[in-house]
Amino acid sequence: GWSSESDILAVRVAAPEGSLRYPEEKKEPEPASLSEQMDSLKTMTPSRLALDGSDMSQYDIYPVEGFVTIDGQLCRRFNVYKVGTSGDISGIIFYSGDMQHIYRMDVDDNSIITELR
């Protein structure tokens, strides 16, 4: 209504009762530890990682610090070298934190990344 005493228009608004709900925080699962990923990689066959040979004892695996995101997956990078070679890298592997996805970077041009199935 209008108040003639102070020339103020007062409006009363009715709203249904309710409560504010905030969106639930989406918790991302913690990525696997480095030791879990290393143990897993060492038990794979080289062919699973697009490498030559019969078992992973023929390779040295070195993790690279930090994570990268590939196809929405948080991944750790691993450089793989054949034992007894002169330091030529055999493969660059990205292993997802949930240990469900493995990617390989083309060693020659360092830009093409392929998911290994």
Side-chain angles (χ1 to χ4, degrees), residues 71-92:
D71 291 339
Q73 300 292 322
L74 193 62
C75 300
R76 184 176 276 127
R77 176 180 168 161
F78 295 89
N79 292 340
V80 182
Y81 299 88
K82 187 143 185 145
V83 173
T85 59
S86 61
D88 292 334
I89 193 163
S90 297
I92 300 171

Side-chain angles (χ1 to χ4, degrees), residues 46-114:
S47 61
R48 173 73 175 98
L49 302 174
L51 299 168
D52 297 326
S54 58
D55 63 70
M56 289 303 291
S57 65
Q58 299 170 322
Y59 293 94
D60 289 325
I61 303 170
Y62 296 98
V64 175
E65 190 173 327
F67 288 90
V68 296
T69 302
I70 301 173
D71 291 339
Q73 300 292 322
L74 193 62
C75 300
R76 184 176 276 127
R77 176 180 168 161
F78 295 89
N79 292 340
V80 182
Y81 299 88
K82 187 143 185 145
V83 173
T85 59
S86 61
D88 292 334
I89 193 163
S90 297
I92 300 171
I93 303 298
F94 294 92
Y95 199 9
S96 67
D98 64 3
M99 296 175 49
Q100 300 298 311
H101 304 273
I102 301 172
Y103 303 91
R104 180 181 168 102
M105 179 185 283
D106 187 309
V107 176
D108 295 327
D109 79 5
N110 286 337
S111 66
I112 300 172
I113 296 178
T114 307

